[in-house]
Amino acid sequence: ASLAKSLKVPAKPSLQVAVPAGTIDLYKAIGAFVQPIMETDGHDAAVAVVESCCEGFRKAVHAAGPDKEEFVKAFNAEAPGGEADPGIMAGATAFWAGIGAQVGPIMESNGQQAAVDYVNKVCDGFKAACHSAGPDEDAFKASLAKSLKVPAKPSLQVAVPAGTIDLYKAIGAFVQPIMETDGHDAAVAVVESCCEGFRKAVHAAGPDKEEFVKAFNAEAPGGEADPGIMAGATAFWAGIGAQVGPIMESNGQQAAVDYVNKVCDGFKAACHSAGPDEDAFKASLAKSL
């Protein structure tokens, strides 16, 4: 209850749709592929290729779910000749990953149908923006944001990133024996130290995973984090990273820094207030965000 509360995320929110990372990658790749088709075969032929690519992408996302190899296979199967253009495949894979980062939390809080609806809403908005904007990137971004009801310069909307539960559970497993042997205050101190070490490591490393691991280990007693906590922390770092990219792109670096701090504050407060009660933790985090 505490984490959800600090993040102002309703326990069962109506579907909030953010622009996923990777949208621009696929948009640019389609544009580069379609330009010569437009010049040789005309506007209608180019539009048909865009339509086919967008619908192939949608089908592949639904077919593959979170499995990257399945996505590549399914997207290739939708392409003429059974193999997608390499540039389009790279863009599509980036967009698929961006959608995947959003889908996990939506599925967890609202269920599978909400996740399916989210994918369709993003794919509808992407296709409509490609068709309406053509090669005008600013128009594409504006159209996509409008169709997803995301203000062009939104106030900071904070979603609960993937990986929060992983780190929460890992900290809980590590702290339980400390609580039993050394008492409540000692356990609270470990939680506090872990949360603040995580915050410092996220800021220090940015998007570099090796740097994150190094920085998080450096914050741990003895210079090496517990393996379970490291696994949870890395998952949480990746979840934050998936949110930070779009925030930085639309609102700038300071907004991204503020987002990281808000998530870390909410996470820590939820850990302290909920203790081992996972439902209370989720509610607190959603509320704080």
Side-chain angles (χ1 to χ4, degrees), residues 16-81:
Q16 293 297 314
V17 181
V19 177
T23 50
I24 296 296
D25 303 65
L26 182 54
Y27 164 73
K28 287 181 173 175
I30 292 174
F33 184 79
V34 158
Q35 186 59 37
I37 295 172
M38 174 87 84
E39 290 165 5
T40 56
D41 300 327
H43 179 262
D44 290 350
V47 167
V49 170
V50 172
E51 179 75 20
S52 166
C53 188
C54 292
E55 286 306 317
F57 177 79
R58 183 202 305 266
K59 288 178 189 171
V61 172
H62 283 308
D67 186 321
K68 185 175 180 179
E69 283 185 21
E70 282 300 311
F71 172 76
V72 170
K73 197 163 80 176
F75 192 59
N76 272 329
E78 294 293 329

Side-chain angles (χ1 to χ4, degrees), residues 226-238:
D226 168 77
I229 288 181
M230 177 59 84
T234 307
F236 191 13
W237 164 83

Side-chain angles (χ1 to χ4, degrees), residues 55 58 119-129 144 147-148:
E55 286 306 317
R58 183 202 305 266
V119 171
N120 284 329
K121 189 165 187 179
V122 169
C123 290
D124 287 342
F126 180 83
K127 182 171 76 169
L144 183 56
S147 70
L148 300 184

Side-chain angles (χ1 to χ4, degrees), residues 101 159-168 171 194-195 197-217 228-246 248 256 259-260 263-264 267:
V160 178
T164 51
I165 296 296
D166 304 63
L167 182 54
Y168 164 73
I171 291 174
C194 187
C195 291
F198 176 78
R199 182 203 307 264
K200 288 179 189 170
V202 171
H203 284 309
D208 187 320
K209 184 175 179 180
E210 285 185 19
E211 282 300 313
F212 172 76
V213 170
K214 197 162 79 175
F216 192 59
N217 272 330
I229 288 181
M230 177 59 84
T234 307
F236 191 13
W237 164 83
I240 288 176
Q243 305 276 3
V244 159
M248 191 175 294
Y259 166 79
V260 171
V263 168
C264 290
F267 180 84

Side-chain angles (χ1 to χ4, degrees), residues 2 10 18 26 29 60 74 101 106-107 110 127 159 188 193-194 208 217 222 256 262 275:
S2 160
L26 182 54
I106 291 171
M107 191 176 293
N110 288 31
K127 182 171 76 169
V188 167
S193 165
C194 187
D208 187 320
N217 272 330
K262 189 165 189 180

